[in-house]
Amino acid sequence: VWKVRVGAYGDLSKLLKQLDPVSDAGQFNQYESYLPKMVLDTNMAAQEAGIATVITFVENAPNPVRRREEIVSGVVSKCLAATKAGTRTQSVELLLVLCEVDTPGPVVTGVIEGFDAKQPKAVAAAVTAIKDIVHAFGVKFLALKPLLKALAKPFAHKDNAVRTEAQHLAVELYRWMGQAIMPSLQDLPPVLLKELESQFSTVAGGPAPKQQRLLRSQQEAEVPAETTEGGAGAAGHDSDNAAEEEAGAPAGMDPWELADPVDITKKLPDDYHTFVVSSKWKERKEVIEHLHSALKKSIRLQMSPGTGDIIQEMAKKIGDINIIVATLAIQCLGLLASGLRQSFSPYVQSTLPALVEKSKERKQTVIDAIRETEDAYFQAAGCDLAAFSDHYFTGASHKNPQTRAESNHMLRRCLAAMPTRPSKTDVKRYADQLKTGLDDGDSGVRESAAECLGTLSKLVTAKVLDPFIESVDKIKLEKVNEYASKATIKAKAQAAARPKPAPAAATTGGASGKPRPRPRPAGAAAPPSKPAPSSSSPAAASSGDGEGDESNGLSANLPPHIRKKLEASARAAAIKKAQREGRPIDDLLAPPSPVSKPAPSRPAASAAAAPKRPAGAPAASAARKPAVSAAASSAAKPGAKGKPVASSKEAGEAIKMRFANDESLDDKIAAAIPESILTAFDSA
């Protein structure tokens, strides 16, 4: 009974809203098999209630796309063209919800199958549903090539309502794609195409479309941006707005990517190769016109074995004595470069010199064709300026002023279309050549050189270009700056380098960055202060006050055996240095003081008392700086090379350690170790 099913659908909707998608995922799986049957209910009231239940399931289920194909097929066949208006509205909403939880692509593919329905109202309803999906989500997430191919079916339908809905869908696609949709509509009847163009013109100047509904993945990405406060939140909103503008920008759509590759050799007449080399210019003109019309209809070309022969034949016709044939051949080369793109790049070097040479032609139609073809060549070469550099310098030094001016114009257009900036080496080469053009006797060459320099200045900034054009007089520089202010370039402005964040202060360091002393236990006595380094020490005389303290703290943290080795090596290096400078070495020959171990902490009461030393022990100052015996002082005399001759007694007092057989190692160590470190060792 249909009333029982309606009640069951309502109860199930309430239950689905209460289930948790994570913990109750198993219960959702129990009802998946009933979803296609709900949208195909034979009773209209029960069908409407069933569609509402399916919508609730899709909105709350953890994985609602496992039955997506069956649900979409049932909606297209039985629901979109239903008698009840509520059923039609609910079915469209169900399709939108299915798009929202994942991606619109599979849903649109299923709805396209409705274009083959027998009833005209079902076909019109399917077209309308796709129009609503495009309006809500845009074309960013759609597979456009199958959709554009399927547009031919509703446009060719006998029913006027279907054709009208197809026009509405085409207008909606034009809002998102712009002129990129036009190649897919070229096969329509001329009357219908003209009517569509008039409708496109009405929406061309309107605001850019924006995505009306967000996918679930986009909604999850927006949550952190909304919860972020301050500048980070503003940056998140700015990025969202930029993403929306990018999704709605028609300029990002490439018609070449949407077109299928075409083999142009199969569209030529059988006698093409015979007439293209005919001695009669009319026969050559007719066959090249046929090739030109075939190329204009083919947006994307396929590289076949015969395509290279066509390119070579058109290159030969650039210098044809008949100006019409030459112009058609140049235009065909440009269309071939645009259709083949990267596949055409091997032919750029062999055909571009003929174009540069032909630019001496005074007829404007030929010049326009050459400019368009050169631009297509640059795109086919991957916007690589190196592919054009040699040909530019050849044309810029040509004896014909028209060729020199057109070469400068070619370089200017290449600079404007470059996605990146040239190196300083290239900037210097081009600037030197263009400076020569500024002094040319022809006014056209001077203007083109100034305009090209202005574009180069806009591309690499005046700071980079100015050192290479310092010799240019003030009047010509003003002309260059004027063109620089008017120039437009494709390369994006260089992002300003963000200052690196200051490193976080170490937990043991203060504001000055110096290591802080370790905290002492409560009641522990303060350690005795270290005496200032002796003024007679050569290292102490050259080091600063703060550096010595920092170095003392660094050496105190070293292990004892490492510290002994460093002290011995540094002392030997200091002796060498003192002997070279003629300073006394008595203080440097003293044996290193043993590494003292920190005294254990004592109670506060005992710490206050003065430390006791045994009777007869030397004073603290004397212990820190032992006296050097006269024998030891006199034993150290310079040898043949100014090196001290160490006796057996001296070897026991002054430890000298070497890590290699290099006699100059001590000198190298003395030069490498900072004075502050030597001061630390001496003061220790």
Side-chain angles (χ1 to χ4, degrees):
V1 181
W2 67 270
K3 291 185 179 180
V4 177
R5 296 198 299 273
V6 170
Y9 294 156
D11 295 341
L12 180 58
S13 297
K14 296 178 182 178
L15 176 62
L16 293 174
K17 293 178 182 179
Q18 298 174 2
L19 294 179
D20 184 78
V22 179
S23 59
D24 300 330
Q27 297 190 38
F28 282 101
N29 298 336
Q30 295 178 1
Y31 303 108
E32 277 189 352
S33 59
Y34 298 100
L35 300 179
K37 299 178 182 179
M38 294 179 186
V39 298
L40 296 175
D41 200 300
T42 55
N43 185 271
M44 291 186 295
Q47 185 183 37
E48 184 177 356
I51 294 174
T53 303
V54 175
I55 293 175
T56 305
F57 179 91
V58 173
E59 290 175 343
N60 295 275
N63 188 12
V65 299
R66 283 187 287 195
R67 298 278 181 169
R68 177 173 53 194
E69 294 183 4
E70 300 177 36
I71 295 173
V72 173
S73 178
V75 169
V76 172
S77 60
K78 297 294 183 182
C79 302
L80 288 177
T83 305
K84 291 191 65 175
T87 303
R88 296 195 299 270
T89 304
Q90 290 277 22
S91 61
V92 174
E93 179 63 23
L94 175 57
L95 294 176
L96 294 175
V97 172
L98 285 171
C99 295
E100 184 177 310
V101 296
D102 187 29
T103 181
V107 178
V108 172
T109 302
V111 178
I112 288 177
E113 297 179 359
F115 291 179
D116 298 326
K118 295 181 180 179
Q119 296 182 354
K121 65 176 183 178
V123 179
V127 176
T128 305
I130 293 180
K131 178 180 69 69
D132 294 338
I133 293 174
V134 173
H135 180 77
F137 299 100
V139 297
K140 184 178 180 180
F141 309 100
L142 301 181
L144 288 174
K145 291 178 68 174
L147 176 58
L148 294 176
K149 287 182 179 179
L151 272 179
K153 293 180 180 179
F155 273 121
H157 204 277
K158 297 179 180 179
D159 190 81
N160 185 40
V162 176
R163 296 195 302 270
T164 303
E165 291 298 331
Q167 293 181 13
H168 295 164
L169 174 58
V171 172
E172 184 64 33
L173 288 171
Y174 181 84
R175 292 180 63 245
W176 293 90
M177 298 173 59
Q179 292 295 326
I181 194 179
M182 297 305 298
S184 303
L185 305 176
Q186 295 301 319
D187 295 334
L188 296 179
V191 178
L192 181 58
L193 184 59
K194 187 176 181 179
E195 184 179 353
L196 282 175
E197 289 177 352
S198 63
Q199 295 182 18
F200 293 162
S201 61
T202 58
V203 299
K210 292 185 178 180
Q211 191 173 339
Q212 302 297 322
R213 299 179 66 154
L214 299 179
L215 304 181
R216 183 172 291 182
S217 58
Q218 293 175 313
Q219 296 173 7
E220 293 173 354
E222 274 198 348
V223 172
E226 293 177 357
T227 56
T228 306
E229 296 180 0
H237 290 301
D238 293 342
S239 62
D240 293 341
N241 295 336
E244 291 180 1
E245 292 177 0
E246 181 181 356
M253 197 67 60
D254 188 1
W256 191 85
E257 297 289 346
L258 303 175
D260 293 326
V262 177
D263 187 359
I264 196 62
T265 59
K266 296 181 179 179
K267 295 183 175 295
L268 298 178
D270 298 335
D271 54 357
Y272 166 78
H273 294 284
T274 303
F275 287 105
V276 77
V277 294
S278 175
S279 59
K280 298 180 180 180
W281 71 270
K282 288 186 178 180
E283 293 179 353
R284 299 196 304 270
K285 171 179 170 293
E286 289 176 0
V287 73
I288 296 178
E289 279 182 343
H290 186 90
L291 173 63
H292 185 267
S293 61
L295 289 172
K296 288 190 69 175
K297 294 179 181 179
S298 304
I299 303 299
R300 186 173 182 175
L301 300 178
Q302 178 183 352
M303 194 66 184
S304 61
T307 308
D309 298 336
I310 296 175
I311 296 173
Q312 297 296 343
E313 290 169 356
M314 292 300 103
K316 295 177 182 178
K317 294 296 178 288
I318 294 176
D320 197 280
I321 58 175
N322 187 275
I323 198 66
I324 300 177
V325 175
T327 305
L328 286 173
I330 294 171
Q331 292 175 349
C332 288
L333 284 173
L335 293 173
L336 284 167
S338 300
L340 293 171
R341 290 199 176 180
Q342 190 176 359
S343 300
F344 188 86
S345 58
Y347 300 94
V348 170
Q349 299 299 327
S350 60
T351 58
L352 185 56
L355 290 174
V356 175
E357 183 67 26
K358 190 66 175 179
S359 60
K360 63 184 178 182
E361 183 66 42
R362 292 286 182 177
K363 208 163 187 179
Q364 190 61 35
T365 55
V366 181
I367 296 300
D368 293 341
I370 291 175
R371 291 176 178 177
E372 293 177 1
T373 302
E374 287 173 346
D375 294 345
Y377 274 29
F378 190 66
Q379 296 296 328
C383 297
D384 185 10
L385 193 59
F388 275 56
S389 60
D390 294 340
H391 305 291
Y392 161 70
F393 287 110
T394 301
S397 57
H398 198 274
K399 62 181 181 180
N400 190 292
Q402 174 77 12
T403 303
R404 297 198 298 270
E406 285 302 319
S407 298
N408 291 335
H409 286 306
M410 179 183 70
L411 178 61
R412 175 185 56 80
R413 297 193 304 273
C414 292
L415 293 174
M418 284 184 65
T420 58
R421 288 165 172 78
S423 63
K424 284 191 176 181
T425 304
D426 292 336
V427 172
K428 182 181 184 303
R429 292 174 60 206
Y430 296 125
D432 292 343
Q433 180 61 48
L434 291 170
K435 282 193 301 183
T436 305
L438 290 177
D439 299 329
D440 197 276
D442 186 81
S443 60
V445 178
R446 294 195 300 270
E447 286 294 324
S448 63
E451 189 174 2
C452 190
L453 272 176
T455 304
L456 183 60
S457 176
K458 182 71 172 288
L459 179 63
V460 301
T461 69
K463 181 180 179 181
V464 176
L465 181 62
D466 286 349
F468 303 112
I469 57 174
E470 290 179 347
S471 58
V472 178
D473 59 67
K474 185 177 179 182
I475 298 177
K476 294 177 182 178
L477 279 179
E478 291 178 356
K479 195 72 173 178
V480 171
N481 294 332
E482 179 184 353
Y483 279 119
S485 61
K486 299 177 182 178
T488 57
I489 58 175
K490 184 179 180 181
K492 296 181 180 179
Q494 293 180 348
R498 296 182 179 179
K500 295 184 179 180
T507 56
T508 60
S512 63
K514 299 181 180 180
R516 295 176 181 174
R518 295 181 179 179
R520 299 187 301 274
S529 59
K530 295 184 179 180
S534 175
S535 59
S536 61
S537 174
S542 60
S543 61
D545 298 336
E547 293 180 358
D549 297 339
E550 184 177 353
S551 301
N552 289 341
L554 178 62
S555 61
N557 294 331
L558 294 175
H561 63 286
I562 298 296
R563 182 178 175 184
K564 284 182 179 180
K565 292 181 179 180
L566 289 177
E567 286 178 352
S569 180
R571 185 173 288 103
I575 292 173
K576 293 276 189 180
K577 188 173 182 180
Q579 288 178 347
R580 287 196 306 268
E581 297 177 356
R583 292 185 281 104
I585 60 173
D586 296 344
D587 294 341
L588 300 176
L589 293 175
S593 59
V595 180
S596 60
K597 297 183 180 180
S601 58
R602 293 174 294 174
S606 61
K612 299 179 180 181
R613 25 181 201 90
S621 59
R624 292 191 185 95
K625 187 177 179 181
V628 182
S629 62
S633 175
S634 61
K637 295 181 179 180
K641 297 183 179 180
K643 299 178 181 177
V645 181
S647 63
S648 60
K649 182 180 179 181
E650 179 183 341
E653 296 177 354
I655 302 175
K656 290 184 65 177
M657 300 183 64
R658 289 182 177 176
F659 302 95
N661 293 328
D662 189 359
E663 294 295 336
S664 61
L665 180 61
D666 295 337
D667 298 336
K668 296 178 181 179
I669 294 176
I673 297 179
E675 296 292 345
S676 58
I677 300 296
L678 297 177
T679 304
F681 292 148
D682 293 336
S683 62

